[in-house]
Amino acid sequence: VTPWGEIVAIDQRGLFMGNRGCVHRGRRIVRPWQVRRWITCVLEYKGWVAPKWEPGRWTPLFFWDEAVAWAAGHRPCALCRRADFNAWLDGWQSAFGERPEVDPMDRCLHTDRRDGKVQRLHARAWSDLPVGAFVVLDEPGPGGTDVPALVLGDRLVPWSPDGYGPPIDRPSRGAATVLTPRASVEVLRHGYHPVVHPSAS
């Protein structure tokens, strides 16, 4: 899954797996999601590895790292990542003043991440962006396509299907176009520390 939330077939092998329900038929992706509960899981849990392409079963998706998963609109799984899920709830409570129930939280995230059939973007001051958020670079990449980039301290690290590229300086003034959903940005701002792929640094 890309930071744009798109499901693509690439050689990249990431650190996390995810779930949006059953989005495949045979070996084809036939829809972007089935359920609002978009979660991020570990690759293996107590010796169990997710089945692939089973009819009627949920479709395992994969992410380069947690920052990409958050940009795409996912959150930690409450089963296989309980400690991270609790840390996510702590960040949510700190940001919004109350500890959320799962269903209302997932409805909020779904509203934040989708604008009809496309990803919902929003503007935010560069100075207000936490480590782990994803933005769109002002300068298009090869072929004129928009390039997503990870915020990492005073740097931006461009992402591509090949992984993270060389960092560039993060602007100090003005506003960024942000991919990571608003609520997820607030959770990051209020103490959640995402796992970032080692290649980013």
Side-chain angles (χ1 to χ4, degrees), residues 7 13 50 59 66 130 169:
I7 302 169
R13 294 293 178 265
T59 309
E66 257 193 316
D169 290 338

Side-chain angles (χ1 to χ4, degrees), residues 176-191:
T177 300
V178 185
L179 287 169
T180 307
R182 289 178 188 273
S184 300
V185 171
E186 290 302 326
V187 172
L188 292 171
R189 287 185 67 243
H190 287 81

Side-chain angles (χ1 to χ4, degrees), residues 58 185 196:
W58 60 276
V185 171
V196 174

Side-chain angles (χ1 to χ4, degrees), residues 39-53:
I39 59 175
T40 307
C41 304
V42 292
L43 297 176
E44 181 180 330
Y45 179 63
K46 296 184 176 180
W48 180 83
V49 178
K52 314 294 188 299
W53 304 115

Side-chain angles (χ1 to χ4, degrees), residues 35-143:
V35 296
R36 281 193 301 260
R37 187 158 292 160
W38 294 17
I39 59 175
T40 307
C41 304
V42 292
L43 297 176
E44 181 180 330
Y45 179 63
K46 296 184 176 180
W48 180 83
V49 178
K52 314 294 188 299
W53 304 115
E54 286 196 2
R57 293 286 302 276
W58 60 276
T59 309
L61 308 171
F62 298 91
F63 306 92
W64 190 231
D65 60 15
E66 257 193 316
V68 170
W70 299 168
H74 290 244
R75 61 153 174 89
C77 173
L79 174 64
C80 68
R81 302 184 60 204
R82 190 71 202 190
D84 294 328
F85 177 72
N86 287 338
W88 178 269
L89 295 182
D90 290 344
W92 190 288
Q93 183 173 3
S94 179
F96 300 111
E98 60 181 6
R99 202 164 188 84
E101 297 291 329
V102 171
D103 286 341
M105 178 176 66
D106 285 337
R107 283 196 294 272
C108 175
L109 286 170
H110 197 70
T111 298
D112 279 359
R113 68 182 164 233
R114 303 305 299 178
D115 183 7
K117 293 184 178 181
V118 299
Q119 188 169 12
R120 187 182 300 277
L121 307 179
H122 59 102
R124 195 173 194 113
W126 282 108
S127 59
D128 198 30
L129 284 171
V131 168
F134 257 87
V135 299
V136 182
L137 294 182
D138 289 338
E139 294 296 325

